[in-house]
Amino acid sequence: LGGIVEVFSNIRWRVSIVCQYCGFDPVLYIKSPEMAAEKVKNFMLDRKNSANFLLSTKQYERLPRRKIQKPLYDQDDKSANT
């Protein structure tokens, strides 16, 4: 009986730590950052197409986003210039 209670409390904990606004799962991120990023991307696309989101008064579009900077040059360009 104690094992069953432990399993259910672990499941409740896992469900509660996932972000309601962007779908980010920190446990999945520790295991695989790529899968966590894909899950957030899918969550955002689903939310964007959801009627519930369109009727919401919350400002979800203002969630912070990290911009990825592109390198100024490729490795091939560097070797060609020297």
Side-chain angles (χ1 to χ4, degrees), residues 56-74:
S56 175
T57 59
K58 296 183 179 181
Q59 299 293 326
Y60 293 115
E61 285 298 316
R62 296 186 184 189
L63 287 174
R65 295 185 181 116
R66 181 175 62 163
K67 295 182 180 180
I68 300 173
Q69 295 180 355
K70 295 181 180 179
L72 298 175
Y73 56 88
D74 293 332

Side-chain angles (χ1 to χ4, degrees), residues 3-81:
I4 294 172
V5 172
E6 185 68 28
V7 168
F8 281 114
S9 67
N10 195 5
I11 290 172
R12 283 185 62 198
W13 172 76
R14 281 282 285 126
V15 169
S16 70
I17 63 170
V18 176
C19 180
Q20 300 174 28
Y21 302 112
C22 68
F24 178 72
D25 185 353
V27 176
L28 181 60
Y29 181 78
I30 290 172
K31 292 180 181 179
S32 174
E34 295 83 16
M35 287 179 64
E38 188 66 29
K39 184 176 177 182
V40 169
K41 181 179 176 183
N42 290 337
F43 184 92
M44 297 298 251
L45 288 173
D46 291 342
R47 193 196 67 206
K48 184 177 179 182
N49 298 326
S50 171
N52 290 336
F53 167 69
L54 296 174
L55 298 174
S56 175
T57 59
K58 296 183 179 181
Q59 299 293 326
Y60 293 115
E61 285 298 316
R62 296 186 184 189
L63 287 174
R65 295 185 181 116
R66 181 175 62 163
K67 295 182 180 180
I68 300 173
Q69 295 180 355
K70 295 181 180 179
L72 298 175
Y73 56 88
D74 293 332
Q75 291 294 337
D76 297 331
D77 295 339
K78 183 179 177 182
S79 62
N81 292 335

